[in-house]
């Protein structure tokens, strides 16, 4: 049974890692892509949730429900920044910046969760910081897309806010948590589009298939596989293997989208993932609860 759960978890990570690649075939704005992704994914997860006989319990925890509301808004906004970053600075670099979100949480953990800041964590943070500088050297020198980098950092900061709110909502976890957050992310994107672009969304015929894949497979099925498997796996396994997601995003962007990374950026990517793994293994080993996706 554990092997099946492990395979489900790895497949979910690969699906999440391919989000940027699939989205590159959709000729819509970043906010419209997020809206459709969250809508299709929400419908699928709500259907599976109700079909499985589960019941919503979030209304029994008002304070934590408010935290989940903030978390869902942060998720929706984070995705909009991330998908904008995909188009501006490339899927690979945007994905690496986005996955600095958990590192931000770990860096703030002494203040937020009374976690001890060890020498190992500080070293890991140092690797990540240097890696970010190497990864974005072009932007820092004035020859890159500065707004794209800002979008990438914004997606990471909002991802961190999502994780923090999730951690504090201790009684609404797992599948229900995922359904509520994804639906709130959809509402966030819907409100944003309604006030900025309007709802006249025209999906080109050739974009229908990748849109369905992103919403139904990558988001709906991906979240289902993720949450139906992590509870059966060791925390260390989840922590270490979790970085297969940004790694696969970089690999797909290189081999499928033909995005190129300079040697300095490749070294930066190695430092970011390596430093993150060091920090996360140490952090999650002492923290027996897994963050919601």
């Amino acid at each position: 049974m554990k092997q099946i759960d492990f395979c489900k978890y790895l497949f979910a990570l690969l699906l999440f890692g391919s989000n940027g690649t699939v989205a590159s075939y959709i000729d819509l704005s970043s906010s419209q892509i997020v809206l459709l992704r969250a809508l299709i994914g929400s419908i699928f997860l709500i259907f599976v949730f109700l079909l499985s006989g589960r019941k919503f319990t979030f209304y029994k925890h008002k304070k934590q429900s408010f935290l989940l509301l903030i978390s869902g808004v942060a998720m929706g906004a984070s995705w909009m920044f991330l998908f904008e970053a995909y188009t501006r600075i490339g899927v690979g670099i945007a994905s690496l910046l986005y996955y600095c979100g958990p590192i931000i949480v770990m860096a703030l953990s002494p203040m937020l969760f009374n976690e001890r800041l060890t020498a190992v964590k500080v070293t890991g943070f140092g690797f990540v910081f240097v890696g970010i500088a190497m990864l974005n050297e072009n932007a820092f020198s004035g020859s890159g897309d500065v707004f794209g980098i800002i979008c990438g950092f914004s997606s990471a900061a909002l991802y961190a806010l999502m994780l923090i709110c999730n951690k504090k909502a201790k009684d609404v976890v797992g599948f229900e948590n995922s359904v509520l957050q994804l639906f709130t992310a959809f509402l966030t994107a819907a409100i944003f589009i309604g006030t900025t672009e309007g709802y006249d969304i025209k999906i080109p015929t050739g974009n229908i298939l990748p849109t369905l894949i992103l919403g139904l497979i990558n988001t709906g099925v991906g979240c289902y596989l993720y949450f139906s498997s992590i509870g059966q796996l060791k925390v260390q396994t989840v922590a270490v293997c979790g970085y297969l997601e940004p790694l696969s995003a970089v690999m797909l962007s290189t081999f499928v989208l033909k995005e190129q990374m300079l040697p300095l950026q490749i070294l930066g990517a190695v430092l970011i993932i390596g430093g993150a793994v060091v920090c996360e293994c140490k952090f999650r080993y002492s923290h027996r609860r897994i963050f919601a996706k």
Side-chain angles (χ1 to χ4, degrees):
M1 191 65 179
K2 287 289 180 65
Q3 289 183 337
I4 295 177
D5 291 320
F6 182 66
C7 290
K8 288 165 62 178
Y9 176 63
L10 291 184
F11 188 58
L13 294 178
L14 292 175
L15 286 176
F16 294 146
S18 67
N19 284 338
T21 300
V22 176
S24 67
Y25 293 96
I26 303 174
D27 188 23
L28 295 172
S29 69
S30 55
S31 54
Q32 290 174 339
I33 293 175
V34 171
L35 174 69
L36 295 172
R37 175 194 181 186
L39 172 61
I40 297 170
S42 294
I43 293 173
F44 176 82
L45 287 185
I46 291 172
F47 176 75
V48 174
F49 185 86
L50 296 176
L51 190 65
S52 63
R54 292 181 173 90
K55 295 182 179 180
F56 289 106
T57 61
F58 67 92
Y59 57 87
K60 299 178 182 178
H61 313 281
K62 294 182 179 179
K63 182 178 180 180
Q64 294 184 30
S65 295
F66 178 71
L67 289 171
L68 282 179
L69 175 64
I70 297 176
S71 182
V73 171
M75 175 190 280
S78 177
W79 283 356
M80 285 188 280
F81 277 118
L82 175 62
F83 279 76
E84 183 66 24
Y86 283 157
T87 62
R88 289 178 173 272
I89 59 177
V91 172
I93 294 178
S95 297
L96 288 167
L97 291 179
Y98 177 66
Y99 288 103
C100 288
I103 302 300
I104 296 174
V105 176
M106 287 179 246
L108 296 175
S109 62
M111 292 180 292
L112 296 174
F113 309 116
N114 297 317
E115 288 287 328
R116 190 166 59 92
L117 196 61
T118 64
V120 174
K121 287 183 184 178
V122 173
T123 302
F125 295 151
F127 284 154
V128 172
F129 180 79
V130 173
I132 290 174
M134 290 180 173
L135 196 68
N136 299 292
E137 187 272 337
N138 286 344
F140 294 145
S141 65
S143 58
D145 190 325
V146 177
F147 184 68
I149 298 298
I150 292 173
C151 287
F153 279 124
S154 297
S155 70
L158 287 164
Y159 184 16
L161 176 60
M162 181 194 77
L163 294 177
I164 291 168
C165 291
N166 261 285
K167 182 170 176 56
K168 291 184 176 293
K170 298 179 180 180
D171 297 318
V172 187
V173 296
F175 203 176
E176 181 181 9
N177 180 299
S178 182
V179 172
L180 294 172
Q181 280 197 109
L182 191 55
F183 184 70
T184 306
F186 158 68
L187 292 178
T188 302
I191 292 172
F192 178 80
I193 288 178
T195 56
T196 57
E197 305 174 26
Y199 296 112
D200 185 21
I201 302 175
K202 297 179 180 179
I203 307 175
T205 304
N207 291 185
I208 294 177
L209 181 59
T211 299
L212 288 174
I213 292 174
L214 183 64
L216 185 61
I217 307 299
N218 286 47
T219 305
V221 175
C223 285
Y224 171 74
L225 293 175
Y226 182 89
F227 281 103
S228 64
S229 61
I230 58 172
Q232 310 302 320
L233 301 174
K234 293 181 180 180
V235 174
Q236 298 97 313
T237 301
V238 173
V240 174
C241 294
Y243 277 86
L244 174 63
E245 186 177 338
L247 182 60
S248 64
V250 173
M251 297 292 287
L252 286 171
S253 70
T254 301
F255 293 107
V256 178
L257 301 181
K258 306 301 181 182
E259 293 180 0
Q260 293 185 345
M261 295 180 69
L262 301 174
L264 189 64
Q265 292 177 318
I266 294 174
L267 179 57
V270 172
L271 288 174
I272 289 174
I273 294 178
V277 169
V278 169
C279 292
E280 188 143 340
C281 287
K282 189 72 177 177
F283 184 74
R284 294 200 184 209
Y285 182 77
S286 61
H287 238 278
R288 303 300 295 182
R289 181 175 178 272
I290 300 171
F291 288 128
K293 184 66 185 172

